[in-house]
């Protein structure tokens, strides 16, 4: 079981060899496991690894199997374990890199791998039956075809369709016509025989086992015969090439050939309405896998499970389980194959929601903890002023909940429209069998489904319709969503909504109903992710420190009591869950969020700054109507990440605006609007007056944000669970959303800084290393954060009984005028953690250091249990058995980690 993990983002240029090179450093830092991004074979050039094309191979661009073995050896030499990020929900489908998908395109339903992918081969649209829609064309199909951009190509006996960089296979039966023409022109009986043999292959609609086996056997035999014929008869080969060129020159002939394929090339915009396969969210190049099928599970997980069985891997992080047909069944199967492995899932929990108790896993990837710990540094007293300022600037006073619902509706009308259409078609089939509902139109059913999906209070439910399993929580969630939909859309027949609720709660059952429930649940998670995280979070800018994955921008912070209650639940229910504060998916790094959070403590000062500079931004805006909301986001962003280069800010603002989908988008970019954003970025990073004002204004904000970060790190590393450190964040890291947060990490500097800390602690004296003053002197380069990370990890390694599943958790309340500014608890018992919060009021307006003056804590105390307590961060000793001033504990260093000395 990991003690702590360190996340490494592998990519071309930072593969296994480079990762092995930093293993000694992360081992000295104090983690127990390297936690890597996916490294099964991905799309060539992939920078993240989530676009797997072959789960049976190690990514060759990262070093392949040899590099992987060497990486594992180096980990073992440094006594580190390994956790792998696993992608079970989907695969990438570019060109021929995915052999399973290539076979499906070549053979349709008769492919041996047709069952692997979540494809609807029998949609309501007759023209899409038995084919896969491929939305890859830049324009309408007919225009692209007439422009000669689609071509038939031959290499030996292999035929492909090319559209620019896209390649597609040619179904073997469809070749019979052009082969027959070439045979007649060349007078080749052998080629004529081959043409007839192609036409005699079993059809793709013949999907019984015997026909599939015969098709795959015979097509390879026929392909070999064709290759030999063409090699032996140059005249026949030349005739065939001439027929191919004639076909390419004749749009009708090429169209006839394409019509015989098991796929349909289409304009990319058609993905929003007619796509016939389940995707990862709205990414048409990532197709859903059917891992609920035993064969698919075995083939897609075989290599990883061998690594688990052989001890190469100690654990798995499961990506996006909410996209699966049966997440509970999946994790049970995974647990059976890995009875002792550490299993965590990327599950986004709503406030108050818990992982299902019957899932045999250690917990989640920690976005619930991220939300709870981050909220500690948001001052609730700032909520009303910030709400009023945001409404005044943007002209939009709607609460976040309403903004989120609107965004989810738009996503369902837009990029997830094809998924909703497939769901509505299934609902229509169901209603045809229930006479009370058969007269409802497809539009009625579409709107009922849309509204219920738009008001779902959680990402998804977990009913298992094929065995009738549903718990009371899921029933309550569906009933809540049905009631909310009835209120928000009174025009929808309430009896139809009630009927939908009965299906989703398994009160009405049947094969079609079961399929609807499964697909509804798979879609609801995607709607939440795309509607909230990737749309509403980029529209609602009241305080963007709250706009984080797993967060709720409508909830203005977390109280210490709420934080303690959540930690107590974790200690009791999931003591080995992951704890995180920054990931590869976060919108902003932890240090950006903790700095922006300080604004909540100074609403008046913030308002003066905004009202000074917003008009100047409007003056600089040219070429399109001013976007006050986007400018407000830009100001908060600059506050959080300063200093930042113009290009980084430009890229971020453009991405944020496209994700918001209000004035521009990925599918319909507005060049004039985006040029105006570029002008804003240029002013904010290049105007001397703004920079001078910002530099003065940021001094206390930066200091307070850094204290917040130290507190957050200490709380993460000592709360119940397994803390994760995202690569590079052991120093200050001011990163924005990907790809910004996946930039190259300067490990050389980190190694040097850690070595200097360890050398200072190994000088033969009784000292733990450099003193607090020396550590704080390195504030600007991030030394305090590295110190807190390293020393706390050392304490965890030395006393695992205090911090792992065996360690208890006991909140400790402070008493006095600054009690609300303290978060304290005991682990073990035997470890006491004390961290400040809402520190701007304590540091003051002019302070530039991380020290909180002792007089700010005057009269505020906590209870220190009996014993002698050693502070692993300041080096101080404290004697318990009564109350102790908080100023005494935090007087030399901003946070405290006290461990009680053993008796005697």
């Amino acid at each position: 079981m990991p003690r702590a993990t360190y996340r490494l983002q592998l990519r071309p240029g930072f593969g296994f060899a480079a990762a092995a090179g930093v293993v000694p450093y992360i081992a000295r830092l104090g983690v127990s496991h390297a936690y890597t991004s996916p490294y099964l074979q991905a799309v060539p050039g992939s920078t993240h690894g989530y676009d797997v094309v072959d789960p049976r191979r190690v990514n060759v661009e990262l070093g392949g199997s040899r590099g992987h073995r060497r990486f594992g050896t180096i980990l073992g030499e440094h006594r580190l374990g390994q956790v792998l990020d696993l992608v079970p929900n989907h695969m990438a489908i570019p060109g021929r890199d995915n052999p399973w998908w290539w076979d499906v395109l070549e053979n349709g339903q008769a492919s041996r791998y047709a069952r692997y992918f979540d494809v609807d081969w029998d949609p309501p649209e007759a023209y899409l039956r038995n084919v896969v829609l491929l939305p890859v064309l830049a324009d309408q199909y007919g225009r692209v075809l007439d422009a000669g951009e689609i071509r038939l190509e031959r290499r030996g006996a292999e035929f492909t369709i090319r559209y620019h960089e896209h390649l597609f296979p040619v179904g073997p039966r469809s070749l019979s016509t052009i082969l027959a023409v070439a045979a007649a022109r060349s007078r080749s009986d052998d080629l004529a025989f081959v043409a007839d043999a192609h036409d005699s292959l079993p059809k793709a609609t013949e999907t019984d086992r015997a026909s599939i086996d015969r098709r795959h056997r015979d097509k390879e035999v026929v392909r070999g015969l064709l290759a030999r014929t063409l090699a032996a008869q140059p005249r026949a080969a030349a005739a065939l090439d001439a027929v191919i060129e004639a076909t390419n020159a004749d749009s009708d002939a090429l169209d006839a050939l394409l019509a015989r394929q098991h796929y349909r090339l289409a304009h990319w915009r058609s993905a929003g309405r007619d796509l016939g396969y389940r995707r990862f969210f709205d990414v048409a190049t990532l197709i859903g896998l059917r891992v609920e099928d035993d064969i698919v599970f075995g083939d897609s997980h075989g290599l990883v499970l061998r690594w688990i069985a052989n001890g190469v891997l100690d654990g798995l992080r499961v990506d996006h389980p909410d996209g699966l047909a049966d997440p509970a069944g999946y994790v049970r199967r995974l647990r059976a194959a890995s009875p002792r492995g550490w299993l965590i899932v990327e599950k986004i929990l709503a406030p108050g929601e818990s992982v299902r108790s019957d899932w045999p896993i250690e917990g989640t990837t920690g976005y619930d903890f991220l939300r709870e710990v981050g909220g500690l540094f948001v001052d609730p007293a700032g909520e009303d002023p910030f709400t009023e300022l945001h409404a005044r600037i943007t002209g939009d006073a709607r609460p976040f909940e309403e903004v989120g619902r609107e965004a989810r509706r738009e996503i369902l009308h837009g990029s997830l429209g094809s998924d909703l259409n497939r769901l509505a078609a299934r609902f229509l089939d169901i209603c045809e069998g229930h006479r009370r509902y058969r007269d409802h139109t497809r539009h009625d059913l579409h709107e009922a489904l849309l509204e219920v999906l738009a008001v779902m209070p959680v990402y998804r439910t977990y009913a298992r319709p094929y065995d009738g399993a549903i718990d009371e929580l899921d029933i309550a969630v569906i009933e809540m969503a049905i009631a909310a939909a009835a209120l928000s859309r009174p025009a929808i027949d309430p009896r139809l909504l009630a009927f939908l609720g009965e299906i989703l709660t398994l009160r009405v059952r049947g094969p079609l109903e079961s399929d609807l429930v499964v697909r509804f649940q798979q879609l609801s998670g995607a709607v939440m992710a795309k509607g909230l995280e990737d749309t509403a979070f980029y529209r609602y800018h009241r305080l963007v420190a709250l706009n984080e994955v797993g967060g709720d921008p409508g909830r203005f912070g977390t109280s210490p009591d709420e934080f303690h209650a959540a930690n107590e639940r974790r200690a009791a229910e999931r003591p080995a869950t992951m704890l995180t504060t920054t990931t590869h998916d976060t919108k902003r790094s932890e240090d950006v969020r903790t700095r922006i959070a300080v604004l909540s403590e100074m609403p008046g000062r913030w308002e003066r700054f905004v009202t000074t500079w917003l008009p100047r931004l409007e003056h600089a805006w040219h070429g399109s109507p001013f976007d006050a909301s986007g400018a407000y986001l830009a100001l908060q962003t600059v506050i959080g990440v300063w200093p930042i280069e113009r290009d980084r800010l430009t890229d971020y603002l453009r991405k944020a605006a496209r994700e918001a989908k209000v004035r521009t988008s990925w599918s319909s970019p507005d060049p004039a609007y985006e040029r105006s954003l570029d002008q804003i970025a240029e002013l904010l990073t290049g105007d001397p007056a703004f920079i001078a004002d910002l530099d003065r204004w940021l001094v206390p904000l930066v200091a307070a944000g850094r204290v917040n970060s130290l507190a957050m790190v200490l709380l993460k590393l000592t709360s119940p669970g397994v803390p994760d450190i995202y690569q590079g964040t052991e120093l200050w890291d001011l990163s924005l959303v990907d790809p910004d947060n996946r930039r190259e990490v300067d490990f050389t500097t980190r190694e040097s800084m850690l070595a200097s800390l360890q050398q200072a602690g190994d000088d033969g004296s009784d000292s733990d290393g450099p003193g607090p003053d020396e550590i704080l002197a390195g504030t600007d380069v991030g030394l305090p954060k590295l110190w807190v990370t390293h020393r706390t990890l050392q304490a965890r390694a030395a006393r695992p009984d205090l911090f792992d599943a065996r360690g208890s958790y006991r909140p400790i309340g402070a008493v006095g005028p600054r009690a609300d500014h303290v978060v304290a608890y005991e682990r073990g018992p035997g470890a006491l953690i004390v961290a400040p919060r809402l520190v701007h009021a304590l540091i003051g307006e002019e302070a530039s250091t991380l020290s909180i003056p002792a007089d700010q804590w005057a009269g505020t105390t906590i209870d220190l249990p009996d014993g002698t307590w050693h502070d692993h961060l300041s080096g101080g000793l404290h004697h318990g058995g009564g109350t102790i001033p908080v100023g005494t504990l935090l007087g030399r260093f901003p946070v405290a980690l006290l461990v009680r000395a053993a008796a005697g």
Side-chain angles (χ1 to χ4, degrees), residues 536-842:
F537 280 11
Y538 289 98
R539 294 180 178 182
Y540 185 82
H541 304 140
R542 181 174 63 164
L543 181 68
V544 296
L546 299 169
N547 295 23
E548 196 47 83
V549 181
D552 180 358
R555 296 166 66 97
F556 210 80
T558 306
S559 72
D561 287 346
E562 290 171 324
F563 176 76
H564 289 312
N567 264 350
E568 288 177 306
R569 284 195 302 272
R570 263 186 288 271
E573 299 171 5
R574 302 283 182 180
T577 189
M578 179 179 275
L579 308 178
T580 191
T581 45
T582 297
T583 77
H584 60 285
D585 276 335
T586 43
K587 308 297 185 187
R588 297 162 187 85
S589 68
E590 59 203 48
D591 296 326
V592 175
R593 296 195 309 275
T594 55
R595 186 192 290 183
I596 293 175
V598 179
L599 296 175
S600 67
E601 300 183 64
M602 51 173 74
R605 190 166 180 256
W606 171 241
E607 181 177 4
R608 290 190 294 274
F609 182 83
V610 171
T611 54
T612 297
W613 284 103
L614 203 61
R616 303 187 194 187
L617 296 183
E618 184 173 8
H619 181 72
W621 189 283
H622 297 294
S624 68
F626 181 60
D627 179 9
S629 181
Y632 191 47
L633 170 64
L635 285 174
Q636 290 187 64
T637 301
V638 169
I639 291 293
V641 300
W642 191 258
I644 186 172
E645 305 81 16
R646 182 184 64 182
D647 288 347
R648 276 184 65 207
L649 183 59
T650 297
D651 290 345
Y652 171 73
L653 293 179
R654 183 170 297 178
K655 175 169 182 170
R658 289 183 177 184
E659 296 285 9
K661 308 170 192 67
V662 176
R663 299 279 294 274
T664 187
S665 67
W666 297 107
S667 59
S668 298
D670 183 334
Y673 173 80
E674 293 184 357
R675 282 194 298 271
S676 296
L677 286 178
D678 297 347
Q679 290 159 356
I680 291 298
E682 185 172 356
L683 184 150
L684 294 178
T685 57
D687 181 81
F690 177 79
I691 293 172
D693 192 19
L694 183 65
D695 284 340
R696 289 190 298 271
W697 202 85
L698 275 178
V699 170
L701 194 74
V702 169
R706 286 172 171 173
V707 174
N708 285 348
S709 290
L710 298 182
M712 181 182 285
V713 169
L714 181 62
L715 297 177
K716 175 179 70 174
L717 295 178
T718 58
S719 287
V722 176
D724 175 57
I725 301 162
Y726 183 70
Q727 59 176 29
T729 59
E730 60 272 28
L731 299 184
W732 310 130
D733 178 79
L734 302 176
S735 293
L736 295 165
V737 72
D738 67 279
D740 195 65
N741 61 10
R742 300 176 190 180
R743 291 170 294 155
E744 184 176 350
V745 175
D746 181 1
F747 284 109
T748 301
T749 294
R750 287 161 174 79
E751 291 171 0
S752 176
M753 291 174 64
L754 180 61
S756 67
L757 290 179
Q758 292 176 320
Q759 184 177 10
D762 293 336
D763 60 2
S765 68
D766 293 331
S767 170
D768 291 322
D773 291 342
E774 295 174 76
I775 297 297
L776 293 175
T779 291
D780 286 344
V781 294
L783 195 60
K785 194 176 184 187
L786 180 64
W787 176 250
V788 171
T789 301
H790 175 53
R791 290 293 291 162
T792 307
L793 289 174
Q794 283 187 316
R796 286 184 66 107
R799 294 292 307 275
D801 57 303
L802 301 179
F803 299 102
D804 64 17
R806 294 168 289 174
S808 61
Y809 183 92
R810 183 174 69 91
I812 295 179
V815 176
R818 298 294 194 183
D820 286 344
H821 294 261
V822 180
V823 180
Y825 50 86
E826 186 180 11
R827 295 298 314 277
L832 186 69
I833 293 86
V834 183
R837 62 185 288 264
L838 308 181
V839 298
H840 177 259
L842 308 180

Side-chain angles (χ1 to χ4, degrees), residues 339-385:
R340 299 185 62 190
W342 184 57
L343 300 181
I344 55 169
V345 298
E346 187 209 21
K347 168 60 190 165
I348 308 300
L349 298 171
E353 186 184 11
S354 298
V355 178
R356 299 308 163 95
S357 59
D358 61 341
W359 287 20
I361 60 174
E362 274 62 52
T364 74
T365 50
Y367 285 112
D368 45 333
F369 178 82
L370 183 153
R371 175 186 67 240
E372 292 149 3
V373 73
L376 287 172
F377 307 103
V378 175
D379 189 348
E383 179 169 13
D384 288 344

Side-chain angles (χ1 to χ4, degrees), residues 168-492:
F168 310 96
V170 177
R173 283 178 57 90
S174 69
L175 292 170
S176 58
T177 300
I178 63 171
L179 291 174
V181 172
R185 290 183 180 180
S186 61
R187 297 176 182 174
S188 170
D189 291 340
D190 292 336
L191 190 57
F193 176 81
V194 172
D196 290 343
H198 277 79
D199 200 39
S200 298
L201 292 170
K203 297 178 182 179
T205 52
E206 297 176 31
T207 57
D208 59 280
R209 186 75 261 169
S211 296
I212 290 176
D213 289 343
R214 186 163 69 88
R215 178 187 175 94
H216 281 264
R217 180 199 65 199
D218 291 358
K219 76 181 180 65
E220 294 305 317
V221 172
V222 170
R223 181 177 293 171
L225 182 58
L226 175 60
R228 291 191 295 274
T229 300
L230 296 176
Q233 300 181 21
R235 182 176 177 180
L240 180 56
D241 289 337
V243 172
I244 290 173
E245 284 306 308
T247 301
N248 286 330
D250 184 345
S251 295
D252 291 336
L254 187 54
D255 177 54
L257 177 71
L258 290 170
R260 298 189 65 188
Q261 304 311 311
H262 308 300
Y263 52 85
R264 178 185 175 100
L265 303 181
H267 188 209
W268 64 269
R269 289 186 183 275
S270 62
R273 288 291 179 270
D274 295 332
L275 200 64
Y277 58 84
R278 180 175 61 84
R279 303 161 287 174
F280 172 69
F281 297 157
D282 59 353
V283 184
T285 56
L286 297 176
I287 189 170
L289 270 178
R290 297 184 63 249
V291 292
E292 65 273 15
D293 183 297
D294 289 340
I295 292 177
V296 180
F297 178 87
D299 279 0
S300 60
H301 287 64
L303 182 58
V304 169
L305 294 181
R306 285 197 297 274
W307 287 335
I308 287 279
N310 296 335
V312 174
L313 296 176
D314 300 295
L316 296 172
R317 178 260 197 197
V318 177
D319 181 67
H320 189 50
D322 277 351
L324 303 179
D326 181 13
Y330 172 79
V331 295
R332 288 176 188 136
R333 185 184 285 116
L334 205 58
R335 173 56 75 197
S338 176
R340 299 185 62 190
W342 184 57
L343 300 181
I344 55 169
V345 298
E346 187 209 21
K347 168 60 190 165
I348 308 300
L349 298 171
E353 186 184 11
S354 298
V355 178
R356 299 308 163 95
S357 59
D358 61 341
W359 287 20
I361 60 174
E362 274 62 52
T364 74
T365 50
Y367 285 112
D368 45 333
F369 178 82
L370 183 153
R371 175 186 67 240
E372 292 149 3
V373 73
L376 287 172
F377 307 103
V378 175
D379 189 348
E383 179 169 13
D384 288 344
F386 266 77
T387 302
E388 293 167 5
L389 178 62
H390 178 254
R392 189 163 72 248
I393 289 172
T394 64
D396 187 351
R398 293 177 300 166
F400 176 73
E401 182 181 17
E402 189 173 337
V403 175
R405 287 185 179 184
E406 178 186 72
R408 280 178 276 177
R409 292 185 187 105
E410 290 180 16
I411 288 294
L412 285 162
H413 278 299
S415 61
L416 295 180
S418 61
D419 303 81
L420 180 59
N421 287 344
R422 294 210 318 275
L423 204 61
R426 179 62 71 238
F427 197 13
L428 184 65
D429 292 339
I430 292 169
C431 289
E432 280 295 313
H434 293 265
R435 61 178 179 268
R436 291 186 177 185
Y437 305 102
R438 73 177 191 182
D439 289 343
H440 283 289
T441 66
R442 183 186 296 267
H443 177 75
D444 294 338
L445 308 180
H446 180 279
E447 292 304 293
L449 287 164
L450 183 150
E451 195 60 27
V452 174
L453 285 163
V455 300
M456 283 283 289
V458 296
Y459 273 67
R460 66 165 283 172
T461 52
Y462 299 93
R464 302 184 69 189
Y466 295 108
D467 59 15
I470 186 170
D471 61 30
E472 293 300 319
L473 176 60
D474 284 337
I475 292 173
V477 165
I478 293 300
E479 289 177 346
M480 188 184 310
I482 295 295
L487 284 174
S488 59
R489 293 284 298 280
I492 299 176

